[in-house]
Each structure stands twice: as structure tokens, then as C-alpha cells.
Amino acid sequence: MMNEKNMENNNEKRICSRHKQTDIFLLPSGKQLRVVAEMKDSIHHLCVNMVVNHPSLRIRSITCDMISVPSALCRQAINCFEQLIGRRVLSGILASNQKNPSMGCTHLTNLLYDACYNLFMAQGRILRNQLNEFFPGITEAQIIKFALMFRPELLNSCVRYSKTSPFIETVNNSSLPENANRFVALVRS
């Protein structure tokens, strides 16, 4: 990645810069997550705010805020995700999120994708913390074995989680800790 000094040395002039941030919060009930994804550039300032059930990732609410857009016409897309309420965040949710793309917003869709992707990461962190508490000394391979029980779509999602990777071979050869079924029932309840 180029830093400011390198850009100055190359006589490059920055034309555009876009900043994104995604924050995920575990709500006090412990049964819901709030994800706030925000994007700012020289033209746009957009925000997606979504609440999902945990661990199912079923969408409870989703709102968009279009603070700054190139045209007032753009704001017609503000409710473009209403049809997602009640659906689960799964791999490929964006493939069918809009029945009429001309009524949506490419930038909001991209921001929603970031929000959904980061939900999986946050949920993995929650699971890791719960497993470390429930099973002191649990290995990373055992944690991933649990994760694959809850999120089988992780398999083949990247090089590390490829069915043929040495890491997944280690995961497959690891055993679950004693009382694993009790933990699975607790999480799914």
C-alpha cells in the first residue's frame, strides 16, 4: 500500500478516497447483534443499521440513512432492503436481495455486503469466547470444528478452509471436547 510520502515522491494527486467502517455490538440480551456500517467519500455518506438475532442471524430490522448523496432521486432507495426483514444472513444473501435493481442503490448494497460479512466474523468471535469459557484449553482446530457445525458454508470459503487444506485435515482429525453436545444445545436454544 502506498503511503502519503510515496505519493508525493511520484507526483501523484489523490482524486478520490472512500472510507468504510463497520461496528458490531452484542445487545444486552445476548440474543441480538447490531451492525452499523458506514461509508463516506466526497459524494456519499451512507449508513446501514441492522439488528439480527444471535445465533440464527435472522434480520429483525434494517434501516438506511442517506446523509449525503449526489441527487435527491437517490433517496428513493432508502427502503430498498425492507424485503430482507425476517430472512437470515447467509452466504449469497445479496444475490437475491433486490427484485428490481433499478429501485436500489449500488453503494447501499455494497455496504450491506460489508455488514453481513462482518457479522460472520463477530459471531465467530462470540463463539470463540464462549468455547474458551466452556472448555478451558480448547484448541483452534476444535473451535473451527464447532464453527463448521454452525456455519457449514465456511468450508471452501477460502484457501485455509478448503476441504483439501492441511488445516481442515487437522480440524477433521480433532475430536470435540467432552460435553460438546451440551454446549451445542445451549447455543442453539
Side-chain angles (χ1 to χ4, degrees), residues 23-87:
D23 293 302
I24 299 176
F25 307 92
L26 181 62
L27 298 183
S29 70
K31 300 279 186 186
Q32 293 181 326
L33 299 167
R34 175 183 307 283
V35 57
V36 179
E38 187 172 15
M39 187 266 294
K40 292 180 185 179
D41 61 29
S42 59
I43 300 170
H44 305 89
H45 183 182
L46 306 172
C47 186
V48 172
N49 189 330
M50 181 168 53
V51 174
V52 299
N53 290 342
H54 170 68
S56 72
L57 295 185
R58 189 165 308 281
I59 299 169
R60 300 274 304 185
S61 66
I62 185 168
T63 58
C64 301
D65 195 4
M66 301 175 90
I67 300 145
S68 176
V69 290
S71 164
L73 192 60
C74 296
R75 287 195 170 86
Q76 289 181 10
I78 201 159
N79 297 317
C80 65
F81 300 133
E82 282 182 342
Q83 74 271 14
L84 296 179
I85 295 171
R87 291 185 54 200

Side-chain angles (χ1 to χ4, degrees), residues 76-78 80 98 100-105:
Q76 289 181 10
I78 201 159
C80 65
Q98 293 179 357
N100 185 353
S102 67
M103 296 308 294
C105 172

